[in-house]
Amino acid sequence: MTSLPSPRISSRKQPKQARSTELVAAILEAAAQVLATEGANRFTTARVAEQAGISIGSLYQYFPNKAAILFRLQSDEWRQTTEMLGSILEDAGSPPLQRLRSLVHAFIRSECEEAEMRVALSDAAPLYRDAPEAQEARSSATRAMQAFLQQALPKATPQNCELAADLIGTTLSAAGKHFSESPRTPAEIGAYADAMADMFCAYLEKLE
């Protein structure tokens, strides 16, 4: 059976003037509100345009379909998370294992603080997750983790570093999503993050 082509998820054009930039920002803000209130299944471009107070034609100037809007929301979230985690991993003033521990705490805390939006974006993922743009966006975080591990584990083989990066990233994502689906207190978040950090640190010590 021939697989269906992935929908176009790239923006039609990039805003170049301040007014255009403000329009795209208004579309994305409206999209986040619609997604949070209506959920992924009832998310439509018409509903976003209505929420933003613009015509559907104005929306289509920048986003060809709802998958493109949802992917932009997701890629912005990925970019912010990658930048946050990258700044932690690149902090040469802290020992590697302490950086990893700080990363786990920051990630789990972020997952819990933005759980509603993350769950909604996860529900919408089938619309764009197989597109090349989505695969590239996800891989940037993996590359950052691999670079950190190669520095933190100079005696480990590249293959072990690659495996460790994939294992840590996959575990963080899956466990963080599951843990954040229920309301959590700061104490619960701290205890969970500590336990996960202990597990990762023991694994890296064994590799080294």
Side-chain angles (χ1 to χ4, degrees):
M1 179 180 295
T2 303
S3 60
L4 296 175
S6 298
R8 179 182 177 185
I9 61 173
S10 297
S11 300
R12 288 188 184 277
K13 65 178 182 179
Q14 298 299 320
K16 297 181 179 180
Q17 300 178 349
R19 183 177 179 182
S20 298
T21 301
E22 292 173 359
L23 177 58
V24 170
I27 292 172
L28 294 174
E29 181 178 355
Q33 293 170 355
V34 172
L35 185 61
T37 57
E38 304 288 344
N41 293 333
R42 299 181 62 187
F43 184 95
T44 65
T45 52
R47 185 72 184 86
V48 173
E50 178 186 5
Q51 181 70 26
I54 62 174
S55 69
I56 193 70
S58 296
L59 182 149
Y60 283 142
Q61 289 182 27
Y62 298 96
F63 299 98
N65 48 48
K66 70 176 186 179
I69 301 175
L70 290 165
F71 174 68
R72 174 62 184 272
L73 291 175
Q74 179 66 87
S75 61
D76 284 352
E77 190 276 325
W78 278 334
R79 176 181 51 78
Q80 293 168 3
T81 300
T82 299
E83 290 176 353
M84 175 189 71
L85 301 183
S87 66
I88 295 173
L89 293 179
E90 295 169 5
D91 181 14
S94 298
L97 293 185
Q98 181 58 50
R99 279 181 262 171
L100 180 59
R101 184 172 293 277
S102 297
L103 178 145
V104 172
H105 275 266
F107 184 85
I108 298 299
R109 186 167 56 249
S110 175
E111 286 284 294
C112 292
E113 290 173 351
E114 302 173 13
E116 183 177 356
M117 178 59 69
R118 290 178 190 270
V119 169
L121 286 172
S122 178
D123 291 340
L127 292 171
Y128 55 76
R129 64 186 173 197
D130 294 328
E133 298 96 326
Q135 295 174 11
E136 172 58 28
R138 288 193 297 267
S139 67
S140 61
T142 301
R143 290 195 296 268
M145 179 59 72
Q146 287 178 353
F148 163 74
L149 291 174
Q150 288 169 0
Q151 177 191 43
L153 305 173
K155 297 180 182 178
T157 65
Q159 292 80 7
N160 280 342
C161 288
E162 182 177 351
L163 174 62
D166 181 66
L167 186 148
I168 291 173
T170 301
T171 304
L172 268 177
S173 179
K177 179 180 182 299
H178 175 74
F179 181 73
S180 64
E181 288 176 351
S182 300
R184 304 292 182 178
T185 66
E188 289 175 326
I189 293 172
Y192 191 85
D194 273 335
M196 185 173 290
D198 288 344
M199 179 177 65
F200 289 150
C201 288
Y203 173 54
L204 294 191
E205 289 172 341
K206 180 180 179 181
L207 286 180
E208 183 64 3

